[in-house]
Amino acid sequence: MNPGMFYATLAFLSWGLFPLFFHAIAEVPPLEILAHRMLWSLLFLAIVLTLRRQWGWVRPLARRPRVVAGFVASAFLLSGNWFIYIWAINHGHVIDASLGYFMTPLLNVMLGFLFLHERPRRLQWIAIALAGGGVAWLAWQTGQMPWIALALAVTFGAYGLLRKTAALGPLEGLSFETMILFPLALAYVLWLGWHGQNTFLTTPSTLTRWLLVASGPITAVPLLLFAAGARRLPLSVLGLLQYISPTMQLLLGVWLFRESFTAERMTGFMAIWAALALYAGEGLWRARRVAA
């Protein structure tokens, strides 16, 4: 198996289970969860870098402002995606979150076309149009655009694009992103503590504290796997594997968390699923043709 395929599959399996983790710490406000993810992720990554003696990449960054600017952008895209996702899970929008990640593979095709000069084929354009029709149907049925899904798709798709073209490796890149976010996270957690609102300190639940600490490796490991996979795979293949995570999230939303999934909503999802099936089928057919 291509190592990139293995890494990306593990990342998406892990993300598919994330709703269970965030429901377990639902007492913690989303912004505070986000801050703790940043803090504990950096601690975890610093330990890994120290054990590997892999700090030599930091100093040369001072002479590469373009690289720094790119990672500032990816860091804020990542934090924005995290916050929207945490908020969605803890406010009963697991299905909406899954829709965002169903849409991301097709958005990746558009990003590849716009920024990497990858040329979508005719059936891929049809798949994108079909998915757009599904989004329009959902917007018409509910009277508003599916903003949660669109925001998740855009932020994660753009993040994947930046990580694919990043100048640093997966471990170094993620570490630098968390370094960028760390001061903001630390300042916010200290502010919460000063005002007696830091859940880590005030909660009576020892489990909640340990889960917040565990948010470091739980956050960092799938992202490292994703970054490693993204650098080894075309965006089209990466998009195909991304179906794993939203499928798991959708099933959790419907069966475990009992969120509403009406026939009208199903119609919009079916249009997007049809687009994904067309996109995947065309990719598999083309791969077999090339192999033959």
Side-chain angles (χ1 to χ4, degrees), residues 26-37:
E27 67 170 291
V28 186
L31 192 57
E32 187 177 348
I33 295 175
L34 176 62
H36 278 285
R37 291 184 77 180

Side-chain angles (χ1 to χ4, degrees), residues 52-284:
R52 293 168 62 99
R53 299 180 180 179
Q54 205 167 326
W55 288 100
W57 53 273
V58 176
R59 185 173 296 178
L61 286 175
R63 299 188 298 272
R64 306 178 71 183
R66 271 190 163 184
V67 173
V68 172
F71 275 99
V72 169
S74 67
F76 281 95
L77 282 169
L78 181 62
S79 62
N81 183 269
W82 283 355
F83 176 75
I84 296 164
Y85 182 76
I86 295 167
W87 184 92
I89 297 301
N90 287 353
H91 285 79
H93 295 285
V94 176
I95 294 176
D96 290 326
S98 75
L99 175 62
Y101 293 114
F102 274 123
M103 292 163 54
T104 302
L106 296 173
L107 180 66
N108 282 341
V109 177
M110 287 298 300
L111 292 174
F113 169 69
L114 293 172
F115 297 103
L116 302 180
H117 308 294
E118 297 177 357
R119 292 189 171 274
R121 298 177 291 275
R122 181 176 300 177
L123 288 180
Q124 290 178 325
W125 282 120
I126 295 173
I128 292 171
L130 188 56
V135 171
W137 169 262
L138 290 170
W140 182 72
Q141 283 295 320
T142 60
Q144 61 180 3
M145 292 294 288
W147 293 115
I148 293 173
L150 289 172
L152 286 172
V154 169
T155 52
F156 194 69
Y159 174 74
L161 175 67
L162 288 176
R163 293 302 285 119
K164 181 174 178 62
T165 57
L168 296 177
L171 176 60
E172 296 89 343
L174 180 58
S175 299
F176 189 41
E177 287 168 348
T178 53
M179 288 177 190
I180 292 167
L181 298 170
F182 179 82
L184 296 174
L186 180 61
Y188 181 64
V189 168
L190 291 175
W191 183 87
L192 289 176
W194 181 262
H195 290 83
Q197 300 173 15
N198 189 329
T199 310
F200 186 86
L201 301 176
T202 60
T203 181
S205 172
T206 303
L207 177 61
T208 297
R209 289 194 187 92
W210 279 112
L211 288 176
L212 285 173
V213 173
S215 67
I218 286 173
T219 295
V221 171
L223 280 167
L224 288 172
L225 291 168
F226 170 74
R231 291 174 68 89
R232 291 170 170 83
L233 295 173
L235 276 178
S236 55
V237 176
L238 195 65
L240 191 65
L241 293 175
Q242 284 181 2
Y243 304 158
I244 297 170
S245 176
T247 299
M248 294 172 66
Q249 293 171 15
L250 175 64
L251 294 176
L252 287 172
V254 173
W255 291 342
L256 185 62
F257 303 125
R258 303 295 182 183
E259 292 185 14
S260 173
F261 197 53
T262 63
E264 291 79 10
R265 203 175 189 187
M266 171 73 85
T267 301
F269 269 75
M270 287 180 67
I272 294 168
W273 290 335
L276 293 174
L278 178 62
Y279 169 70
E282 191 271 349
L284 290 173

